Amino acid sequence: MRLVCHGRFFFALFSQFRSSISIGLLERPLVVGFFWGAATGEYTTSLYIAIFFELFWLDLIPAGTYIPPQLTAATFSALALTTWFGLNQPSRIMFVLFASMPLAWIGTKVEGWLRDREQGSYNALLNWARNPGSKHLPGALILRSITKSLLMSWVTFLVAVLILKLVFDIAFTVYPNVFSHLGVTWAHLWVAASLGGLMALRLKRAYVILATGVILFALYRYLPTL
């Protein structure tokens, strides 16, 4: 009876992961930015960067065999570089954000490559299911897959971030005041990133309204100066 009660409790608890609590939320930029801010004390800048990436990739979600961009790679790269160089101006952080975006695509390619390499493990598991041998085979396959993914992700991310760090080291050394005079604010970056949320609507009327608004704003902003 006690075992039944305990099983009921754990079922009720873990059933919440199906609808109430999504483990996938742990990889969202907002969560990454919060924990980075907690670790570094730079809550404001970290969350501002996280909001940018959250809005930018709002349209891309995992569905079927589609592998969405590796959000954590781009977010961690931007946060790490921003903290390393002590950046606090959106005009300078903007180029770190844009330079970090390709890491999301690289992460997707690495993940796809790892999935292709797991074909052998799938065949081994299928053969084991038909003719079970060692009871440790499924666990060994899972452990090997996790270890391979961990190592490949770690090495790829480290190399990519070191390359970006070298590029910005050179840029900020040769041109110490580069990008500082642009006058870009976080509001500008968030408006640009919010296009991702607009694309998620899948409504042509929304796209037309956006294009019309941009054209009217440009005319209102720049025609008087001509």
Side-chain angles (χ1 to χ4, degrees), residues 73-89:
T75 307
F76 269 122
S77 172
L79 291 169
L81 293 172
T82 300
T83 300
W84 175 265
F85 290 107
L87 304 178
N88 51 28
Q89 297 178 355

Side-chain angles (χ1 to χ4, degrees), residues 62-80:
T65 58
Y66 170 69
I67 304 177
Q70 187 63 266
L71 304 182
T72 51
T75 307
F76 269 122
S77 172
L79 291 169

Side-chain angles (χ1 to χ4, degrees), residues 124-125 127-128 133-142:
L125 185 61
N127 293 330
W128 177 87
S134 172
K135 64 179 181 180
H136 301 295
L137 179 63
L141 293 176
I142 294 173

Side-chain angles (χ1 to χ4, degrees), residues 82-99:
T82 300
T83 300
W84 175 265
F85 290 107
L87 304 178
N88 51 28
Q89 297 178 355
S91 299
R92 292 164 70 87
I93 296 176
M94 173 180 65
F95 290 92
V96 173
L97 298 178
F98 294 155

